[in-house]
Amino acid sequence: MDSAVRQPRSKNVLVFNEELVSLNLDAPDARTVIDLLASKLHSQGLVVAEYGQQTYLRELEHPTGLPTRPFCIAFPHADAQGVSQSGLALAVLTKPVNFKNMGDPDEELPVYLVLMLANRDPAEQITTLRNLAVLFGKPDQLQLLRDQPTPQAAVAWLRRELRLDEAA
């Protein structure tokens, strides 16, 4: 029997903890990053096992790469039906992987920071995306997140900046 039985969580809480963070990730491509982050979300019981595949297929149709400064970022996600509890997973890459540009799908962007969203409620997803976009419209903020030395520090920094603990 699985000893890691998950207790139901409040539906308004976005789960984000150090087990959902991968710093200094060396990945060959966007698919690998998506699969890794989805498996982290799945291991905590937040999404179905197929969430990585769902996210990758959605990414092919609706790219999430953004040409931010000082480096590009991506926000891959799938639809809400594969999500049992809202969560966020983060990968900071040692070298960029290509994601298509959200605004120009013909353009490949070298992405260094990937935030995978898993939202149960589509309205919540829009709010989360908006909050992340505002935060990462500031180049110094992107660099600060990338420079966090440990997963715990990255979680504390992003939770504080996004005011995640206030949303509960």
Side-chain angles (χ1 to χ4, degrees), residues 66-72 136-140 142-143:
L66 293 173
T68 51
R69 302 271 183 240
F71 49 83
C72 300
F136 294 129
K138 304 170 188 171
D140 58 324
L142 274 176
Q143 193 63 52

Side-chain angles (χ1 to χ4, degrees), residues 146-159:
R146 186 174 174 193
D147 291 344
Q148 295 302 308
T150 65
Q152 294 83 356
V155 167
W157 186 90
L158 197 53
R159 289 189 77 79

Side-chain angles (χ1 to χ4, degrees), residues 8-163:
R9 297 174 175 107
S10 166
K11 76 175 197 169
N12 294 325
V13 175
L14 179 76
V15 177
F16 181 54
N17 58 56
E18 60 272 3
E19 293 165 12
L20 296 172
V21 175
S22 185
L23 299 182
N24 303 311
L25 178 64
D26 186 10
D29 53 36
R31 176 72 186 260
T32 302
V33 177
I34 288 170
D35 286 344
L36 173 82
L37 294 178
S39 74
K40 287 179 174 291
L41 291 165
H42 177 66
S43 72
Q44 293 200 18
L46 305 177
V47 299
V48 296
E50 299 80 20
Y51 194 74
Q53 176 70 9
Q54 293 169 355
T55 301
Y56 179 72
L57 292 174
R58 186 190 181 286
E59 188 71 24
L60 294 176
E61 295 295 317
H62 305 286
T64 63
L66 293 173
T68 51
R69 302 271 183 240
F71 49 83
C72 300
I73 61 177
F75 295 102
H77 55 280
D79 295 327
Q81 69 259 27
V83 179
S84 59
Q85 172 68 38
S86 296
L88 178 66
L90 167 69
V92 178
L93 306 168
T94 57
K95 62 181 194 270
V97 298
N98 287 333
F99 275 79
K100 300 267 188 198
N101 186 339
M102 182 186 294
D104 178 6
D106 293 328
E107 181 184 10
E108 297 269 344
L109 297 175
V111 168
Y112 276 97
L113 197 143
V114 179
L115 290 128
M116 179 177 277
L117 304 175
N119 290 106
R120 278 184 68 181
D121 176 5
E124 176 187 56
Q125 182 163 297
I126 291 167
T127 300
T128 303
L129 283 168
R130 186 175 298 128
N131 291 344
L132 288 167
V134 167
L135 177 64
F136 294 129
K138 304 170 188 171
D140 58 324
Q141 297 297 75
L142 274 176
Q143 193 63 52
L144 284 171
L145 178 55
R146 186 174 174 193
D147 291 344
Q148 295 302 308
T150 65
Q152 294 83 356
V155 167
W157 186 90
L158 197 53
R159 289 189 77 79
R160 183 177 60 252
E161 293 299 316
L162 293 176
R163 298 183 168 102

